Amino acid sequence: MSPTAAAPKYRALKFGVTRVAVREANGHTYISAKQALEPFADRLTDRLLHWAEHAPDRTFIARRRVNADGTRGAWRYVSYREALHSARSIGQALLDSGASVERPLAILSENSIEHALLSLGALLVGVPYCPVSPAYSLVSQDYDKLKHVVNTLTPGVVFASELARYGNAIDAAIPADALVVIDAQGERSRKLGTTVTLDAWLATKPTAAVDAAMQATRPDSIAKFLFTSGSTKLPKAVINTHRMWCSNQQQMRQSMPVLTDAPPVLVDWLPWNHTFGGNHNFGLTVYNGGTLYIDDGKPTPALMTETLRNLREIAPTVYFNVPAGFEAIASAMQHDDALRRNLLSRVQMFFYAGAALPQPVWDSLFTHAEKEVGERIVMTTGLGMTESGPFAIFVSSHDVKAGDLGVPTPGMELKLVASGDKTEVRYKGPNITPGYWRNEEAIREAFDDEGFFCTGDAINWIDRHDVHKGLRFDGRIAEDFKLSTGSFVSVGPLRARIAGVGAPCVQDAVITGLNLREVGAMIFPLVPAVRKLSGLPDSATLAEVLASAPVLAHFQTALNQLAETSTGSASRIARLCLLADPPSLDHGEITDKGSINQRAVLAHRAAMVDAFHGDQLENTLKPQASASALQN
């Protein structure tokens, strides 16, 4: 911005934590918020009971009904009173089934009203539940991860939203001694074991046993299990207690005071088997008496139109998404007046997580908002993980740039530990998991000698002269590597640079070059964007699209720009290729939220990496920048 340019105007947003305390001890740096953590509920269901009493008719959750032709039509609404009534019936049925901590509830379902009610019923009576990734049942071909989940949990009850879709997975992985609860629609026979309909459970009359079980549930009782994505090993079952979940919700309220201004309204697709959708967003709805509109869209070519449809109709007060979602929304706003008008009408805050948001997408959202409402909507972000509830670090002002993280939430302490050329951030607080279910070895590896959880995330200061601005993301310790020259390659920032320069055609980049002399980048393209850029007919294969002159020219230009702005061999992309084969779920290359697992891709495609660096891979691009730029 030039010295005479007016400062941009932002829609008012208060930040709860703006000052931190920093101390040095034992050769490490410790950071905490100066704001103390306020009291929080003992159990998440205490908040459900509160809202069922004080706002019984307010909509808790809504989802579009399925029409006869399979499309989605009018909204179905469930109030807080209705949710509690159903949860009590389900809780009684769970008790009658013998479900327990040792035999918990496993949920095989996408986000749905039934999924939500089963979750609340389990929470109410102290039966832990686990939302299992639908992809483990519907996308996977070998069901290995589903079998691992079942063997780890030994569920006593399994819910399947549609037995017609989940039946094969149940036959392959669910033992006969587990009761299978099915939605009344789409029934089919099960090869082994007993089934019962959810309607029958909802008709169960609750007894005093439900209230007794609820009172017996303590803050340290297990609320749910969430499985990690399994980046390096099989997924681990992260224990989530009521204390962990409720303290994290109070931390969010204090860091994001917008949640307390009025009951939040969410339009959200983020899957509940992940902590972002299942703990952060589902939890903040219950805790703050909000309304959650389930979005059956997703940031994919086939499903994004449903998200855009919902956002034209329902105006959220806060909006959460992953970078790919915001990128699609920013693109659609260029020509969709109704979307722009409704989405921006009352949203107080945008929030992204899950991957780096390219600055061009960020800037595009600002431009659309300034044009439509005369002010920017603050884009916020932070850092967290399944093991932290997930909320841990949040920005402290509207002056946020791509990569900024912010400051610790109240009640949590950060520990900064040197790790080679990087600095790892570690967590301690009431929102941190006590460990992994039935995995003592993983627990020992996860915590240091002071009880801090070792995140593996690298950070640095936004401004070393002003610690109150907080921290910036500096990649994952495990992803970084050295070239044969000894130069250290920082993968996270490099991926963010590639995504920014290559926008809007980059889904993600996998960085190569371990023990080699130069860095390479293997690009997973954003398919709709490269198809549009190619100008080829829809019948063209993706390989043909990626080999087209316009697409190659776009990436050659991006590669040249990256070379011109690099500062040495560890930051210069010396070769680039485009991947026509999508990332594989069965090989752990991608999560169902769309996050790419660098290490899994490199391991599964080792032969391709060798061919890439051996100049044996077609369509490998190399910089064509000036000699002076390449000599830096």
Side-chain angles (χ1 to χ4, degrees):
M1 179 168 47
S2 65
T4 57
K9 180 183 178 183
Y10 288 88
R11 183 164 288 179
L13 182 69
K14 183 181 178 182
F15 293 86
V17 179
T18 58
R19 310 293 290 179
V20 297
V22 179
R23 65 184 178 89
E24 304 288 339
N26 307 317
H28 307 302
T29 301
Y30 299 81
I31 313 170
S32 58
K34 286 194 172 181
Q35 184 183 126
L37 179 61
E38 297 173 4
F40 50 88
D42 285 342
R43 299 160 291 224
L44 190 69
T45 41
D46 292 345
R47 301 297 289 169
L48 173 65
L49 269 64
H50 172 86
W51 296 116
E53 177 181 355
H54 295 282
D57 296 321
R58 181 184 301 159
T59 297
F60 158 55
I61 200 162
R63 189 188 188 193
R64 291 189 186 275
R65 298 180 186 274
V66 179
N67 297 323
D69 61 0
T71 61
R72 293 203 169 270
W75 292 96
R76 173 192 169 194
Y77 302 92
V78 175
S79 69
Y80 275 92
R81 177 194 289 115
E82 293 167 332
L84 177 59
H85 177 80
S86 295
R88 287 178 58 82
S89 293
I90 290 170
Q92 181 65 57
L94 279 167
L95 295 176
D96 293 343
S97 75
S100 66
V101 175
E102 299 298 324
R103 301 299 307 276
L105 166 67
I107 298 178
L108 308 185
S109 172
E110 295 94 339
N111 299 359
S112 68
I113 290 174
E114 294 75 20
H115 186 156
L117 297 178
L118 281 156
S119 303
L120 294 177
L123 289 168
L124 201 65
V125 296
V127 173
Y129 73 98
C130 177
V132 182
S133 170
Y136 292 176
S137 299
L138 304 179
V139 178
S140 175
Q141 300 298 307
D142 55 23
Y143 305 119
D144 280 353
K145 287 190 175 180
L146 178 61
K147 293 173 183 176
H148 169 70
V149 168
V150 171
N151 290 338
T152 302
L153 296 179
T154 60
V157 180
V158 176
F159 170 73
S161 60
E162 299 174 61
L163 200 56
R165 296 173 66 217
Y166 286 89
N168 290 339
I170 290 173
D171 290 342
I174 306 302
D177 64 350
L179 172 66
V180 174
V181 182
I182 59 175
D183 200 336
Q185 298 178 349
E187 291 185 38
R188 55 156 250 183
S189 62
R190 184 187 174 204
K191 289 182 180 178
L192 297 171
T194 306
T195 62
V196 63
T197 65
L198 180 60
D199 284 347
W201 271 29
L202 290 169
T204 303
K205 183 177 180 180
T207 70
V210 171
D211 299 307
M214 185 182 67
Q215 293 303 319
T217 303
R218 299 287 182 248
D220 289 322
S221 298
I222 299 175
K224 67 195 294 190
F225 301 105
L226 285 176
F227 277 79
T228 63
S229 60
S231 298
T232 56
K233 300 178 182 178
L234 283 170
K236 300 186 289 287
V238 179
I239 298 169
N240 286 247
T241 66
H242 281 271
R243 182 192 308 279
M244 178 181 168
W245 203 351
C246 292
S247 65
N248 204 224
Q249 288 299 319
Q250 180 59 37
Q251 290 169 323
M252 289 164 59
R253 283 167 61 90
Q254 291 181 233
S255 292
M256 300 185 288
V258 65
L259 298 178
T260 67
D261 292 343
V265 175
L266 275 65
V267 180
D268 193 50
W269 70 270
L270 289 158
W272 293 344
N273 58 284
H274 283 286
T275 188
F276 190 2
N279 273 16
H280 192 287
N281 293 354
F282 184 83
L284 79 81
T285 303
V286 176
Y287 207 89
N288 297 286
T291 298
L292 174 59
Y293 289 86
I294 295 175
D295 173 18
D296 283 290
K298 198 175 183 179
T300 65
L303 297 175
M304 194 64 202
T305 53
E306 181 67 13
T307 292
L308 300 178
R309 172 198 184 193
N310 292 331
L311 290 175
R312 289 187 204 103
E313 182 175 332
I314 308 299
T317 59
V318 289
Y319 187 67
F320 303 91
N321 212 326
V322 296
F326 277 113
E327 185 166 1
I329 289 169
S331 177
M333 278 200 214
Q334 295 177 15
H335 51 78
D336 193 329
D337 296 341
L339 169 68
R340 197 170 55 243
R341 183 167 50 250
N342 195 63
L343 174 58
L344 299 173
S345 63
R346 64 173 179 174
V347 66
Q348 300 298 306
M349 181 187 80
F350 287 142
F351 182 107
Y352 82 90
L357 180 68
Q359 194 66 46
V361 177
W362 205 309
D363 296 338
S364 176
L365 290 166
F366 283 160
T367 299
H368 291 313
E370 288 173 331
K371 177 182 178 181
E372 183 67 33
V373 296
E375 57 188 2
R376 297 178 174 184
I377 309 302
V378 180
M379 175 62 76
T380 62
T381 187
L383 186 66
M385 58 199 315
T386 308
E387 290 88 345
S388 65
F391 194 80
I393 303 174
F394 185 66
V395 294
S396 58
S397 78
H398 65 261
D399 186 21
V400 188
K401 299 292 187 296
D404 289 357
L405 300 174
V407 297
T409 195
M412 203 184 78
E413 188 173 29
L414 308 182
K415 176 181 177 181
L416 308 188
V417 179
S419 179
D421 295 337
K422 294 275 190 173
T423 300
E424 182 190 14
V425 61
R426 299 180 179 179
Y427 300 155
K428 180 187 284 187
N431 56 310
I432 305 303
T433 181
Y436 302 103
W437 186 242
R438 296 171 175 167
N439 195 335
E440 292 298 326
E441 179 182 357
I443 295 174
R444 288 191 296 271
E445 293 175 352
F447 294 90
D448 69 13
D449 57 358
E450 291 188 287
F452 282 82
F453 182 83
C454 304
T455 69
D457 288 320
I459 53 82
N460 52 36
W461 294 102
I462 293 175
D463 182 349
R464 291 185 179 276
H465 303 292
D466 186 355
V467 296
H468 304 294
K469 291 183 177 179
L471 304 168
R472 283 183 58 83
F473 187 64
D474 196 28
R476 290 280 297 167
I477 299 292
E479 290 179 349
D480 295 342
F481 60 88
K482 284 186 178 182
L483 298 173
S484 61
T485 59
S487 297
F488 200 79
V489 179
S490 185
V491 171
L494 205 51
R495 290 168 66 192
R497 281 181 60 211
I498 294 170
V501 174
C505 295
V506 177
Q507 178 187 352
D508 208 334
V510 176
I511 307 302
T512 65
L514 173 65
N515 295 326
L516 301 174
R517 293 185 60 83
E518 60 186 22
V519 178
M522 305 174 72
I523 307 296
F524 284 112
L526 202 61
V527 176
V530 292
R531 283 195 174 278
K532 180 178 179 180
L533 179 61
S534 74
L536 295 177
D538 292 343
S539 58
T541 66
L542 182 55
E544 291 170 336
V545 167
L546 298 181
S548 68
V551 172
L552 292 177
H554 171 82
F555 281 99
Q556 185 66 66
T557 300
L559 186 55
N560 293 346
Q561 184 177 341
L562 288 166
E564 291 167 359
T565 56
S566 66
T567 57
S569 61
S571 64
R572 184 174 67 244
I573 304 299
R575 55 185 62 229
L576 179 150
C577 69
L578 306 177
L579 300 175
D581 293 329
S584 164
L585 177 77
D586 279 340
H587 289 100
E589 294 183 332
I590 192 171
T591 70
D592 52 355
K593 198 173 62 175
S595 301
I596 301 296
N597 181 340
Q598 295 272 313
R599 296 178 67 178
V601 173
L602 293 172
H604 177 55
R605 305 185 190 223
M608 180 180 289
V609 174
D610 290 343
F612 175 41
H613 281 274
D615 291 321
Q616 298 173 348
L617 206 62
E618 291 185 6
N619 296 326
T620 294
L621 302 177
K622 297 184 179 181
Q624 297 173 350
S626 65
S628 61
L630 294 177
Q631 293 298 320
N632 61 5

